[in-house]
Amino acid sequence: MRLNSIFIRAILITAGLMAIPCANSYAQSVTEGKAESVVFRGSDKKLDIKVVRDSDGVGMKLVVNGSVAASTGDGSMRRAYYPFLMASRVEKTLLVGIGSGAPVFAALNASSASVSVVVESRDLIKAAEQMPGDNFGVLKDRRVTYTVEAPSTWIAKAKGPYDVIMAGHANRATLADRALLTQKSFQSYRGLLKETGVFAQWLNLSSLDTEDLKKIIATFSSVFPHVYIWGGDMNPVNSWIMLAGMNQPMVLNPEILSARLKTLDPNRDITEADNVYSFLSFYVCDGDEIKPLLESAPVISKPGDIPFKGGFTEEESMSRSADNFLLLGIYRNPIISKLVASEPVKEKMSDYFKARSFILNGRKVGIAGSAQEEIGLYDKAMTLAPEDPHLALSYLAIGLAYYRSGILDRAADLLEKAKKITPDRPQIRFYLGKTYEKMGWSAKANMEFNALRELTPDYMERVNIPTGRAPSAPVN
């Protein structure tokens, strides 16, 4: 059985399940009959800044000069939390950019005594205030200070040192974005970093040509003695990576990481909050392992070395992201050598690495429309890492595609698999209930809806139910 690839890509592209502000970015539903609405528009003459509420009525996006600079949900929270989970300690934080405000919340949640935020426009702060679902209203906390200035100018004269510095490259629509990707800027960042600190540079793969991506990684690697690449999600057509630069080799203790993760909520913060192996499975490789890719890549000495290429169509952005996602996948390596752990823990981590490989390969064949092969790869992952919440979300994503195309028996089977892995995830119970409802199985539907009400009492009220079903996808 084969779902049409364009339909699958439509399922892949948007940033969240329609009823949950913290949903995985790979799985989503197509809400019909509702348009996005602008809830904030900045007054800055140099930047076109606005906050848009998604058609689902819950998710929100920060749009700068026509490009999405941040969005609410699981992907945004992951990009906020990851550097703090990796840092040995966090007392002083520098954030270059604010996005949805999630990084501010993550820094304070990591017990940072001070959080310095540098933004190009005050309207970016006002925009973040419109997205409390990610920042939980902490933007005016007394530990947070703001500087409104071109970040590239500010970092050249700033004084550190900081435990964690995080910069988010959202798009190339402003000169300030590109100026922060030069060798000189990375040297400034390193000069502000504590000896034991972490500098995190997030990159949106949908806005970068592969050659430009290689230039950025090569430039980053020319400055930091220890470089580690982490994935920001598992969505091939809307993907991010984090470049982590350190002065000392990265050494992670799964027990310490697990304790930190347990302070988070898998339904509010990040999906892998209750599974350290899932968190560690987002690791891609270190700087030495990716060197073969960078051999011919020059360093970036001035912003113009990455020319502005605006006006990407949605299809072009999807294609760029998928190309970069698949390229980086070639260099994936187990994180085991970076762990201080017992042999049983390392063995389980090895199983998770193999399982995540099956999931990633499933995503790869999924964007080509080979649904049956995709499901088979997820089933293989299930034998190795049956507790991985991202496997549940993978089953959810393709189950949603079958649900939308009216193939309800297949949808129910896949959603049941997802429920078996993470029975407490509201959106799985919701769509399984909706599937049973459409099949005419009222008793089973009510069982799922009752369980959903116990998990999240107001969930059903917050959902924008589509007015009709999406067009059926051709089935071979």
Side-chain angles (χ1 to χ4, degrees), residues 95-145:
L95 303 175
V96 181
I98 190 172
S100 65
V104 178
F105 178 78
L108 295 175
N109 201 37
S111 301
S112 185
S114 69
V115 182
S116 300
V117 184
V118 184
V119 291
E120 191 175 359
S121 168
R122 190 167 297 280
D123 282 343
L124 292 169
I125 303 171
K126 295 178 181 177
E129 291 173 349
Q130 309 301 312
M131 296 183 273
D134 269 21
N135 60 63
F136 302 98
V138 302
L139 300 184
K140 295 182 180 179
D141 189 284
R142 60 181 178 78
R143 291 166 290 178
V144 185
T145 59

Side-chain angles (χ1 to χ4, degrees), residues 205 208-210 213 319-329:
L205 297 185
L208 293 168
D209 291 331
T210 296
L213 174 63
S319 178
R320 281 178 168 80
S321 181
D323 288 346
N324 289 326
F325 180 91
L326 298 176
L327 176 65
L328 291 170

Side-chain angles (χ1 to χ4, degrees), residues 257-308:
L257 281 172
S258 182
R260 291 178 180 175
L261 285 165
K262 288 184 187 305
T263 66
L264 308 180
D265 183 338
N267 283 320
R268 186 194 69 174
D269 299 317
I270 56 177
T271 299
E272 58 277 16
D274 55 1
N275 191 315
V276 68
Y277 298 99
S278 185
F279 164 77
L280 291 169
S281 294
F282 276 96
Y283 175 77
V284 178
C285 65
D286 65 29
D288 289 334
E289 291 159 341
I290 204 170
K291 273 184 179 178
L293 179 66
L294 310 176
E295 288 177 350
S296 61
V299 299
I300 302 166
S301 60
K302 58 183 184 302
D305 290 342
I306 298 186
F308 168 61

Side-chain angles (χ1 to χ4, degrees), residues 38-110:
V38 177
V39 299
F40 171 82
R41 188 177 292 277
S43 57
D44 193 306
K45 295 181 180 179
K46 296 180 180 179
L47 297 174
D48 178 17
I49 299 169
K50 62 184 177 181
V51 176
V52 178
R53 189 180 301 279
D54 291 342
S55 57
D56 60 21
V58 177
M60 304 181 83
K61 300 187 188 79
L62 168 64
V63 181
V64 180
N65 288 2
S67 297
V68 178
S71 58
T72 57
D74 184 72
S76 174
M77 298 302 285
R78 182 173 297 110
R79 291 190 289 275
Y81 272 112
Y82 266 40
F84 299 103
L85 291 166
M86 294 166 54
S88 58
R89 63 184 301 171
V90 183
E91 294 180 345
K92 191 176 179 181
T93 298
L94 169 62
L95 303 175
V96 181
I98 190 172
S100 65
V104 178
F105 178 78
L108 295 175
N109 201 37

Side-chain angles (χ1 to χ4, degrees), residues 415-428:
L415 292 170
E416 282 287 359
K417 289 182 177 182
K419 185 179 80 170
K420 184 177 180 181
I421 301 169
T422 55
D424 293 339
R425 183 158 287 274
Q427 63 266 45
I428 293 174

